[in-house]
Structures are given as structure tokens and as C-alpha cells.
Amino acid sequence: MTDIENTTFKRVMLKISGEALMGDTSFGLHPPTVQRVAKEVKSVHDLGVEICMVIGGGNIFRGLQGSAQGMERTTADYMGMLATVMNALAMQSALEELGIHTRVISAITMNEVAEPYIRRRAVRHLEKKRVCIFAAGTGNPYFTTDTAAALRASEMACEAILMGKNVDGVYDKDPKKHDDAQRLDRIGYDEVLQKRLGVMDASAIALARDNNLPIVVFSLDEPGGFKGIMAGEGTYTIVED
């Protein structure tokens, strides 16, 4: 028994950073945090919503940082892609412990641990209510996991990209630095780009805009926040035209 008819969206892309899985640690994965996020995903999956996920790799390795420290950029980016696969496998394990069938789908071929990306097969997984975690970014250096999320969301015909952050929406300035920062309920893609508000990188915002994909920014730290969005409740910002 599901409540899919009453949900705001029927198929969504959930994008979270690798850092969101660190918990209070300074590096790597914090298993209780991974399990908590998995429970949030399960609460929405139980409604009958079809869920795609993209998880960053910054908790393990970030290509830009490696490049800044003298590593060749392409090599650093591929290392970052492999970090996203590790995070995807951890999330798959946590979800399957909760009884949710999950597929890790990698843009880099590694048949022993993940499926290769084949669009039609991935769509079929979603139709069968399996959670699809897209790993290894786009499979290309110089592209972030934000762009991968926008690309896969477009290919999977998702109705929205949900950005799970550590703040409850988009602010007109950094709320951690400015006490008078104002949260915005709604904002346009072009304004996000012009003001460099840091929702996603510019390529991802442009791709979402060109495909009319709303971006919902919410706090992943707020219990029930993901499920609340499906009911049109809670605190969040919508980026759209």
C-alpha cells in the first residue's frame, strides 16, 4: 500500500555530497550516518516514489583538491570518481539491509562491483521500484557529480532534483557568516547563476534549466525532510523558471 497518488513527485533524483556521509568525523564514512540517510530514502521509497541517487566523493577524495596539490587533473578526477563508487556501495549496503532492492550503476566499467550505465536498463530498474545509485560521475574528468546528477536526472526523466544539504534552502548570502541572511522560497536558475549562490555548479544549473528540471534544496540533517517534500511540506527552496 503506497501513497504515490498524493506525492508531489513520482520520480526524483536525490543528490547528496560525500561529506554528508561523514557524520562528525573528518574523513571517510560514518556508518550510523549512512544508515540514517538510508532510512530517509526508505521513507520516500515506501510511498512508491521512484528514486535515483548521485553521491559525491569529497569525503574520500576530491579531484580539484588533488589537482591543486600538483596532481595531474585528469588523474585526480578519476580518483574522485572511484571515491563516489565507494560511497555508492556503502549506501547500497545500507538500503538493502532495510529491504530495498538497489543497483549501483557506474559510468566507469567495473563489472565485478557495479552495473555499467545503460539508460534503458536503468529506467527498467526504476520502473521495478529499485533505487538506482549512479556512480563515477559522468565518466569524464572535468565534470562534477552535480553535473552528473543533472545529466542522469534528465536521462531518467526525473521530475525534480533534490539537493540534500546541511542548510534548509538557498539564502541570499551565507547563513553561517551573516546573521541577517534570508532564506528564499523560490528563485530562478539565471539568478542562481548570476549571484553565484552555490546551489550546484554552473554546468549543472544550466543543464537543469534547459531541461525544465526544478531543483529542490533542503536540509538532509532534518529528520523527515525528504519525505516532507513529497507531501509539499517542510522548509526548502525551489529553483525553477
Side-chain angles (χ1 to χ4, degrees):
M1 183 71 177
T2 64
D3 299 313
I4 188 65
E5 294 304 320
N6 300 318
T7 60
T8 307
F9 305 111
K10 307 296 187 288
R11 179 182 292 175
V12 298
M13 165 63 73
L14 175 63
K15 167 63 171 70
I16 62 177
S17 67
E19 289 89 343
L21 303 182
M22 290 194 309
D24 295 329
T25 64
S26 59
F27 177 83
L29 289 157
H30 182 237
T33 300
V34 177
Q35 291 160 7
R36 178 182 64 79
V37 174
K39 288 176 182 176
E40 293 286 322
V41 173
K42 181 180 186 299
S43 70
V44 173
H45 183 269
D46 287 347
L47 298 174
V49 177
E50 297 170 1
I51 302 172
C52 306
M53 293 183 70
V54 167
I55 307 172
N59 57 319
I60 298 171
F61 188 88
R62 187 179 293 279
L64 272 174
Q65 289 177 353
S67 178
Q69 293 171 14
M71 186 177 292
E72 197 270 323
R73 174 66 189 270
T74 303
T75 298
D77 279 356
Y78 278 122
M79 291 174 67
M81 291 179 216
L82 296 178
T84 72
V85 177
M86 295 170 69
N87 285 338
L89 292 172
M91 183 57 63
Q92 178 186 42
S93 177
L95 287 169
E96 292 193 335
E97 282 183 13
L98 297 174
I100 299 174
H101 295 295
T102 307
R103 295 290 185 273
V104 173
I105 301 171
S106 173
I108 298 174
T109 304
M110 46 182 77
N111 292 329
E112 288 75 13
V113 296
E115 288 187 9
Y117 176 68
I118 300 171
R119 190 188 69 82
R120 292 175 66 90
R121 181 186 293 176
V123 169
R124 188 67 182 129
H125 286 321
L126 290 172
E127 291 170 350
K128 291 182 176 180
K129 305 304 179 186
R130 296 165 181 159
V131 173
C132 289
I133 307 176
F134 295 102
T138 66
N140 303 288
Y142 297 95
F143 289 92
T144 67
T145 51
D146 280 354
T147 302
L151 175 63
R152 297 297 184 233
S154 300
E155 291 176 305
M156 295 296 105
C158 292
E159 296 172 7
I161 302 171
L162 275 65
M163 297 289 295
K165 302 250 186 188
N166 58 4
V167 290
D168 59 359
V170 179
Y171 285 75
D172 58 356
K173 49 187 146 182
D174 191 340
K176 295 180 180 178
K177 298 178 181 176
H178 303 276
D179 292 336
D180 61 342
Q182 297 291 315
R183 189 181 59 79
L184 308 168
D185 288 329
R186 195 173 300 270
I187 190 171
Y189 303 107
D190 290 337
E191 189 175 355
V192 169
L193 289 171
Q194 290 163 4
K195 295 184 177 179
R196 300 186 178 185
L197 294 176
V199 176
M200 303 175 88
D201 69 66
S203 297
I205 292 287
L207 187 55
R209 178 193 61 198
D210 293 347
N211 289 282
N212 297 313
L213 259 174
I215 303 167
V216 182
V217 183
F218 72 105
S219 174
L220 198 64
D221 296 332
E222 183 68 31
F226 187 19
K227 184 178 180 180
I229 290 170
M230 294 304 117
E233 300 170 351
T235 304
Y236 52 85
T237 299
I238 295 182
V239 182
E240 61 183 356
D241 274 334

